[in-house]
Amino acid sequence: MSNATTGPDNLTGVTPDTGLKIGQSDESGPMLAADGTPLKKSLNRALRKQKIRALALIAPLLIFILATFIYPIGEMLFRSVENQIVGEVLPRTVRVLADWESENDPVPGDAVFSALTKDMMVAVEEKNHTRLGSRLNYEVSGVSSLFRKSGRSVDDFGEVYTDQFIALDPAWEDPLTFVSIFADEAWVEADAAYDGEGRRPRFLLRDGVGEVLPQTASMYRDFARVVQTEDEDSPTEEDVWNSVYLALYEDLSVQPDIPAGLPQAEMLATARGAVADFETADLRAAFVDVDEGWEETRVWQTIQQYSAPYTTGYFLNSVDLQKTPDGVDWRPENEQIYVTLFIRTMIMSTIITVSCILLGYPVAWLLANLPASKANLLMILVLLPFWTSLLVRTSAWKALLQNQGVINDLAVWIGIVADDNRLALINNATGTVIAMTHILLPFMILPLYSVMKTIPPSYLRAAKSLGATNVTAFRRVYFPQSVPGIGAGSILVFILSIGYYITPEIVGGTKGVFISNRIAYHISTSLNWGLAAALGSILLAVVLLLYWCYDRIVGIDNVKLGG
Amino acid sequence: MTIKTTLAASTALVVAGSAAFAEAHMANDMTLVSWGGAYQASQDNAYLQPYLEMNPDVSAVWDESSAEAVAKLRAMNEAGNITWDVVDVVASDAIRLCDEGLAMEIDHDEMLADGDDGSTATEDFGDLLVSDCFIPQIVYSTTVGYRTDVAEWNGNTPEDICAIFDLETFPGQRSLEKRPIGNVEWALLCDGVAKADIYDVLETDEGQAQAFAKLDTIKDNVTWWSAGADTPQLLADGEVVIGSTYNGRLFSLIVEQDQPVEMLWDAQMFDLDGWIIPTGLSEEREARAMDFIRFATDTQRLADQAKYIAYGPARASSAPLVSTHAELGIEMAPHMPTDPANAENTFLYNYEWWADYRDDLDAKFQAWLAQ
């Protein structure tokens, strides 16, 4: 009685397994949902709603983590390549310096010193020059005071031009002369109407003046804006800087066409005729007079090398390399430190992790297998250090380990060591390993304990009843099941220990400090945040790499923090 | 008569009004940043409590963050939220904060009180105004303490700084600060370089190598300290027999705790500690901070601080006013690093030079330590 239309595969209409059946059949064409829309689309719609709802539920947490964790860390790490300060503070100098070749010319030409005069003038008014000095001082010693000293006298540089322009026509002394040439007329009106309320109208250059007098226009704009923002004054009332006259002299020296429409065109034309006979200022001599550092090729090379907005310099520095005119090279041997410290950090963290496993494993086993009342007491002992300040615990180790400390005294009293040959247990790597193993031990014991707690004791008994010795039963039955706990504990301990710096600083002396001590130094003392960020990024990359290796070798699924 | 009364009354009104006006333009909350411990307590006793008595409306809190002040101020500045009003820092940090634009530049004569002897602030502080942003408060020194009961020394006692480098006469462990500043100068001084030439020599690679070579001779016998409390503890425990630390720490070790330790004033390394005001404060907070600092750095207040701690006042005019210890009752003047008897051979470290060479020498110093 079997009818082709009533067989299980021939039912018409939609059944719950329609999709499956269509999927299995060879029929082409879209699968349709009950309402006739393609199944894929319908499914997607349903899932999308679910996804959005799920996303909305976790959104507060996600935004919180992004805003307070990912973003600040990302921004901090970004500093390892960021280097905009050189280009921002010395825009003109950087542009002119790009053509300079140190092989041909140990010190750049006059154009660079002229650009430097203008940039410095703006930087001094904006109080940026000392910041740039500190930045470049990380690369060459002495630049810090070079910029600080030069900043004090740069406003006099080029004064000879100012005097000559004024001698030519006293109107050049009047700030309004410059306003009439360089300022946008609409701005002049707005500035005149400004009554002290709200924000001052921002200075605008007249259209077209930049083509006739490019340097002066840009210098005057900087002058006007600095007067507005730093002095909170109007450029119509402030004496114009010497560097503007310097720029004007340079612009007029190339004998530009002065369009008749430009205000004061006549005055400009007269000056254009006169500049050829002007007495010139030796700006290089003026800078060198303040500090001979300006004649050092290395200073200029450094400015040139670090003029790009992004730099690899910090990263090179953090692996003991440096930029030289001939490419990347090792730093002098007496300055190499970071590679040593990275390696030391890795080795010592491994030693600490292994000691934690050796010491923590039996304790965790006891915790998991003792009767509840005794296990609880033991657990309190394990947790006790957590409730004591880190500094107190570390300082206690000092009292125990030092030369005249408890352990040495005891050893001398028993007679294991001679009084004049006491053990050096502190202010070296040994001290760091001992103190840090103690501090990090709970982080090993707790994951181990929580994993061991889930291993049924009957497994061991079963192994023994099948003829295994104690050792075999442990090795082949118990230990493999506790490996996830070892994995979790090791990752915790290792990652915590490579980032530690307080304990190594206190008990580590010189041979027991980590890379994090240097990071802390650069963050809080030397203020070289770029280098600190580069060191931190490398440390982070190493941790991620180790994590990846761990995943490949052991498998991250095998890590358990709890049952 | 009525006119007179009206006049007097209106004058009184104006005076009261302007006082209220001035008052209204100063913030009433202040956060002061200092180093904690005995030093901060001395500031609290000598400056803040008297100031609060005069200004009962003001409330002030201390933040013990001076050790990280430079980094924290930079972070606050970047976040645009300055929570500190006056910050106590050492001079070299003040110079860096000033360079970074994080500390306010100050017109010392205009903003600080004149000395009691009539001198202007600039004259009174003299050479100690090492930065435009820095208001000096005390002179302290890094100097050397030694145990008096070392049998191996055969009765010899250290008489000058070079005892640190003399392992033959003065064997034993010594402690030095874990940074190049101070140590390289002493090393060169004891290697025969004249005091005046030290920074010129240090500027050269050979000079630096010479300093490190001298330090090499004692490297195996040095415990390096990084906190001011380390050397006093090491000396008291007998871990080291001779070591450098701040003179105030040695004072409390010797005088207050009565340990078998003596101190050397030879080649003491002068350093300064003082106030800065962060940039970016609101006008009201800035006015309050200035008002406090004007009071806290006047002649009498600086002299008062010496009652509580053995650091010398930065004003010359304060020196004659230094009296006795608030609890022990002993004369404090002989314990001041600035006392003429102690200051026969001093070393004022060159701030400008160190601002330039600090990064470079520190890298070399750390590499040398790690070798």
Side-chain angles (χ1 to χ4, degrees):
Chain A
M1 250 303 278
S2 93
N3 186 320
T5 54
T6 56
D9 288 329
N10 295 314
L11 281 175
T12 52
V14 183
T15 63
D17 57 348
T18 306
L20 256 179
K21 275 186 258 167
I22 297 172
Q24 283 162 354
S25 75
D26 293 329
E27 279 176 48
S28 53
M31 294 174 272
L32 297 181
D35 57 358
T37 52
L39 180 64
K40 210 173 169 184
K41 208 167 150 189
S42 155
L43 194 66
N44 274 348
R45 194 190 307 139
L47 285 181
R48 197 183 311 132
K49 261 189 201 155
Q50 264 183 14
K51 274 186 199 159
I52 290 174
R53 198 181 309 138
L55 197 67
L57 281 173
I58 63 156
L61 179 66
L62 192 68
I63 293 169
F64 179 76
I65 289 180
L66 278 177
T68 63
F69 192 66
I70 309 285
Y71 173 72
I73 290 183
E75 208 205 33
M76 196 66 210
L77 295 185
F78 178 64
R79 289 170 197 266
S80 58
V81 290
E82 200 254 26
N83 186 46
Q84 277 147 356
I85 184 167
V86 183
E88 274 171 13
V89 177
L90 304 177
R92 299 176 178 85
T93 316
V94 163
R95 220 175 305 128
V96 187
L97 197 61
D99 302 329
W100 173 64
E101 279 167 14
S102 55
E103 304 91 65
N104 305 337
D105 204 359
V107 181
D110 292 338
V112 170
F113 281 97
S114 157
L116 184 66
T117 310
K118 296 170 202 155
D119 285 336
M120 267 296 227
M121 191 61 219
V122 182
V124 168
E125 292 292 325
E126 288 179 338
K127 301 186 184 73
N128 275 336
H129 66 300
T130 44
R131 274 181 58 215
L132 178 62
S134 328
R135 162 67 188 95
L136 291 173
N137 203 67
Y138 298 139
E139 315 299 335
V140 190
S141 294
V143 183
S144 178
S145 66
L146 185 65
F147 274 77
R148 206 179 310 117
K149 277 192 222 160
S150 309
R152 284 191 204 122
S153 24
V154 76
D155 54 343
D156 294 335
F157 293 3
E159 200 175 3
V160 60
Y161 299 113
T162 314
D163 295 344
Q164 291 178 92
F165 273 107
I166 293 169
L168 196 66
D169 186 341
W172 281 118
E173 197 175 3
D174 187 358
L176 289 173
T177 311
F178 283 89
V179 171
S180 69
I181 301 176
F182 291 102
D184 181 68
E185 273 150 28
W187 173 83
V188 175
E189 275 172 37
D191 189 61
Y194 174 72
D195 56 359
E197 294 292 314
R199 288 189 57 184
R200 225 169 244 289
R202 192 171 151 84
F203 174 81
L204 290 173
L205 268 184
R206 170 190 295 279
D207 277 342
V209 72
E211 280 125 56
V212 186
L213 303 166
Q215 308 232 44
T216 326
S218 103
M219 193 67 227
Y220 187 76
R221 187 190 54 212
D222 285 350
F223 158 77
R225 296 214 169 137
V226 165
V227 167
Q228 288 190 316
T229 53
E230 299 295 323
D231 309 342
E232 293 182 13
D233 215 332
S234 171
T236 53
E237 287 157 17
E238 282 284 307
D239 277 344
V240 177
W241 296 340
N242 291 326
S243 52
V244 178
Y245 292 94
L246 164 67
L248 185 62
Y249 165 77
E250 287 172 353
D251 275 338
L252 292 176
S253 296
V254 298
Q255 303 292 324
D257 288 328
I258 293 166
L262 201 65
Q264 322 288 359
E266 246 174 73
M267 219 172 128
L268 281 167
T270 323
R272 183 183 58 189
V275 287
D277 304 325
F278 270 19
E279 181 196 337
T280 57
D282 189 347
L283 294 169
R284 174 174 160 174
F287 272 105
V288 173
D289 205 32
V290 174
D291 194 316
E292 285 166 9
W294 291 114
E295 270 184 328
E296 275 177 39
T297 313
R298 234 180 110 210
V299 169
W300 288 107
Q301 279 170 340
T302 307
I303 297 179
Q304 197 179 33
Q305 272 160 8
Y306 285 90
S307 56
Y310 299 99
T311 178
T312 53
Y314 291 123
F315 273 103
L316 293 177
N317 207 337
S318 56
V319 288
D320 292 333
L321 295 168
Q322 63 181 356
K323 283 185 181 185
T324 65
D326 317 314
V328 174
D329 199 7
W330 290 103
R331 293 181 84 79
E333 205 160 317
N334 63 353
E335 288 176 27
Q336 292 182 12
I337 171 118
Y338 297 116
V339 172
T340 319
L341 282 179
F342 272 117
I343 294 172
R344 182 195 288 166
T345 307
M346 292 301 144
I347 293 177
M348 287 184 58
S349 297
T350 312
I351 296 176
I352 290 162
T353 311
V354 172
S355 343
C356 278
I357 296 173
L358 293 180
L359 291 175
Y361 199 91
V363 179
W365 189 85
L366 271 180
L367 270 173
N369 291 287
L370 278 179
S373 59
K374 284 183 186 160
N376 282 344
L377 188 69
L378 192 57
M379 186 59 127
I380 289 176
L381 290 180
V382 170
L383 290 177
L384 200 61
F386 265 142
W387 304 330
T388 321
S389 150
L390 177 75
L391 280 171
V392 172
R393 276 182 282 160
T394 312
S395 306
W397 276 114
K398 258 176 131 167
L400 284 175
L401 296 176
Q402 63 186 8
N403 234 346
Q404 312 291 324
V406 178
I407 291 177
N408 263 313
D409 280 349
L410 209 63
V412 169
W413 183 68
I414 297 172
I416 333 174
V417 296
D419 196 14
D420 52 357
N421 189 24
R422 289 171 173 242
L423 302 169
L425 296 172
I426 201 166
N427 295 326
N428 52 22
T430 319
T432 306
V433 170
I434 295 176
M436 281 187 55
T437 302
H438 167 244
I439 283 162
L440 295 175
L441 203 50
F443 293 96
M444 181 61 82
I445 293 178
L446 293 177
L448 268 176
Y449 162 73
S450 66
V451 168
M452 285 178 177
K453 196 78 187 157
T454 63
I455 304 173
S458 53
Y459 286 8
L460 268 184
R461 287 204 293 273
K464 282 185 202 163
S465 74
L466 290 170
T469 60
N470 275 343
V471 175
T472 315
F474 172 77
R475 190 169 57 84
R476 305 214 18 209
V477 176
Y478 194 86
F479 182 75
Q481 296 188 78
S482 66
V483 164
I486 297 182
S490 302
I491 288 186
L492 267 179
V493 169
F494 188 82
I495 290 180
L496 281 173
S497 73
I498 59 174
Y500 251 60
Y501 70 94
I502 297 177
T503 307
E505 184 70 40
I506 297 177
V507 298
T510 57
K511 298 275 164 44
V513 291
F514 286 4
I515 190 71
S516 10
N517 293 80
R518 287 277 87 194
I519 297 180
Y521 169 81
H522 286 302
I523 288 278
S524 61
T525 309
S526 82
L527 275 199
N528 192 349
W529 287 9
L531 182 56
L535 291 169
S537 305
I538 293 178
L539 202 55
L540 182 65
V542 170
V543 170
L544 292 177
L545 187 75
L546 286 173
Y547 189 76
W548 180 78
C549 290
Y550 182 88
D551 186 32
R552 293 300 298 264
I553 298 165
V554 186
I556 216 67
D557 299 340
N558 263 331
V559 168
K560 275 192 197 158
L561 284 168
Chain B
M1 183 212 152
T2 36
I3 291 174
K4 247 187 187 169
T5 330
T6 323
L7 209 66
S10 57
T11 315
L13 259 176
V14 168
V15 169
S18 60
F21 183 74
E23 201 65 9
H25 279 257
M26 278 198 228
N28 278 335
D29 295 306
M30 231 189 343
T31 305
L32 301 94
V33 183
S34 186
W35 301 89
Y39 184 62
Q40 183 179 305
S42 75
Q43 292 175 315
D44 193 57
N45 285 324
Y47 312 149
L48 185 62
Q49 293 313 324
Y51 184 77
L52 293 183
E53 261 168 46
M54 285 165 49
N55 298 280
D57 296 340
V58 177
S59 63
V61 286
W62 286 103
D63 185 338
E64 303 180 4
S65 297
S66 282
E68 311 91 57
V70 188
K72 284 197 172 176
L73 267 177
R74 191 201 249 189
M76 282 184 198
N77 193 276
E78 287 187 6
N81 182 21
I82 313 283
T83 57
W84 293 345
D85 296 282
V86 282
V87 186
D88 185 287
V89 289
V90 291
S92 56
D93 281 345
I95 291 174
R96 261 174 326 139
L97 287 167
C98 209
D99 279 355
E100 293 267 330
L102 298 171
M104 202 173 94
E105 284 187 17
I106 282 177
D107 183 338
H108 292 94
D109 278 340
E110 191 181 317
M111 293 177 170
L112 301 178
D114 287 343
D116 275 5
D117 54 4
S119 56
T120 63
T122 324
E123 293 160 4
D124 208 7
F125 284 109
D127 293 343
L128 307 185
L129 296 176
V130 292
S131 157
D132 295 338
C133 303
F134 183 61
I135 305 138
Q137 184 191 142
I138 54 130
V139 177
Y140 69 96
S141 74
T142 306
T143 183
V144 168
Y146 58 89
R147 282 190 74 92
T148 50
D149 57 354
V150 187
E152 291 89 346
W153 289 0
N154 302 321
N156 290 317
T157 49
E159 278 172 8
D160 57 31
I161 189 69
C162 298
I164 286 247
F165 296 92
D166 185 353
L167 281 172
E168 259 172 48
T169 323
F170 306 106
Q173 194 75 7
R174 36 270 276 139
S175 67
L176 290 173
E177 191 171 6
K178 204 199 251 178
R179 63 173 197 175
I181 299 174
N183 296 328
V184 288
E185 286 105 322
W186 281 340
L188 284 184
L189 200 65
C190 294
D191 206 28
V193 177
K195 206 160 86 174
D197 301 336
I198 281 183
Y199 288 105
D200 290 337
V201 172
L202 266 182
E203 222 159 283
T204 62
D205 284 345
E206 300 78 48
Q208 293 170 5
Q210 187 188 354
F212 284 120
K214 184 71 182 176
L215 285 167
D216 257 333
T217 60
I218 55 166
K219 191 176 178 185
D220 294 340
N221 292 68
V222 177
T223 303
W224 300 96
W225 61 268
S226 43
D230 286 348
T231 293
Q233 178 252 322
L234 292 168
L235 278 171
D237 289 356
E239 285 291 299
V240 300
V241 290
I242 183 167
S244 70
T245 187
Y246 310 130
N247 72 292
R249 300 275 187 175
L250 285 172
F251 171 81
S252 55
L253 187 72
I254 297 167
V255 180
E256 293 170 6
Q257 295 165 29
D258 210 14
Q259 293 285 331
V261 172
E262 284 293 330
M263 70 193 287
L264 275 181
W265 289 104
D266 182 54
Q268 52 165 326
M269 195 74 60
F270 270 166
D271 201 344
L272 306 172
D273 192 272
W275 302 107
I276 59 108
I277 300 175
T279 48
L281 294 182
S282 66
E283 270 178 41
E284 293 85 31
R285 285 175 62 196
E286 200 178 291
R288 175 60 71 195
M290 275 321 311
D291 191 60
F292 170 73
I293 283 186
R294 194 182 169 87
F295 172 79
T297 57
D298 70 13
T299 303
Q300 184 60 47
R301 246 46 60 183
L302 287 184
D304 283 350
Q305 193 185 6
K307 284 183 196 164
Y308 306 98
I309 201 149
Y311 294 128
R315 276 180 190 267
S317 63
S318 299
L321 303 179
V322 170
S323 58
T324 55
H325 191 281
E327 281 155 28
L328 303 176
I330 53 168
E331 280 298 326
M332 287 302 277
H335 297 283
M336 295 286 146
T338 42
D339 189 66
N342 300 333
E344 276 169 18
N345 182 22
T346 65
F347 212 111
L348 183 61
Y349 91 68
N350 186 332
Y351 295 102
E352 193 133 313
W353 192 90
W354 275 111
D356 279 347
Y357 287 88
R358 178 186 186 133
D359 299 317
D360 185 33
L361 263 179
D362 193 76
K364 288 176 181 159
F365 184 72
Q366 292 297 335
W368 175 78
L369 281 183
Q371 273 162 22

